Amino acid sequence: MSFTAGLWLLLAPLAFRIDWPVGLDLTHIAMNSLASGLAAAALAMLEMFVFLRWLELAITLLGLWVIWAPWMLGFYLVPAALAQSLVCGSVLALMGGLSLLQPTWDDMP
């Protein structure tokens, strides 16, 4: 799921036409979406092969950033971009948080 959310963040700004208000700096918004999508996809791919707690924590924190980004970057007034950010960020934060709750080999009796 984290990989899919990362791909969505990566490809959605390129695939969908969003009506942006005049005066909004689109380069920061597009770069944030591309960087967040690449990071989420890379962390999710790495997590499939290596089981490390810091990867799960990084995915959770990235999800929280994606949720918070519309207000930090000022695109919370664009409904499509806000919805995309909230949904993808929630998926990332939830998947990372649930992975953190799973026991590791060290926790097994």
Side-chain angles (χ1 to χ4, degrees), residues 1 4-6 8-9 63 66-67 70 79-95:
M1 285 295 280
T4 306
W8 182 265
L9 276 173
V66 171
I67 290 171
L82 177 64
Q84 169 190 317
S85 187
L86 292 177
V87 169
C88 290
S90 297
V91 166
L92 289 171
L94 182 67
M95 291 295 109

Side-chain angles (χ1 to χ4, degrees), residues 10 23 27 40 44 55 79 98 107:
L10 183 65
T27 57
L55 287 172
L98 289 176
D107 298 336

Side-chain angles (χ1 to χ4, degrees), residues 32-47:
N32 176 63
S33 185
L34 293 174
S36 298
L38 276 174
L43 289 172
M45 287 294 291
L46 189 57
E47 190 180 19

Side-chain angles (χ1 to χ4, degrees), residues 12-103:
L14 304 172
F16 297 109
R17 184 182 176 280
I18 296 175
D19 294 326
W20 299 98
V22 175
L24 197 59
D25 187 13
L26 298 180
T27 57
H28 293 311
I29 297 167
M31 293 307 287
N32 176 63
S33 185
L34 293 174
S36 298
L38 276 174
L43 289 172
M45 287 294 291
L46 189 57
E47 190 180 19
M48 285 194 295
F49 299 110
V50 181
F51 187 74
L52 297 171
R53 288 286 186 199
W54 69 266
L55 287 172
E56 296 154 356
L57 182 62
I59 289 174
T60 304
L61 293 175
L62 182 64
L64 293 175
W65 164 252
V66 171
I67 290 171
W68 192 248
W71 290 275
M72 294 299 289
L73 298 177
F75 64 94
Y76 59 91
L77 295 175
V78 182
L82 177 64
Q84 169 190 317
S85 187
L86 292 177
V87 169
C88 290
S90 297
V91 166
L92 289 171
L94 182 67
M95 291 295 109
L98 289 176
S99 294
L100 281 172
L101 296 176
Q102 291 180 348

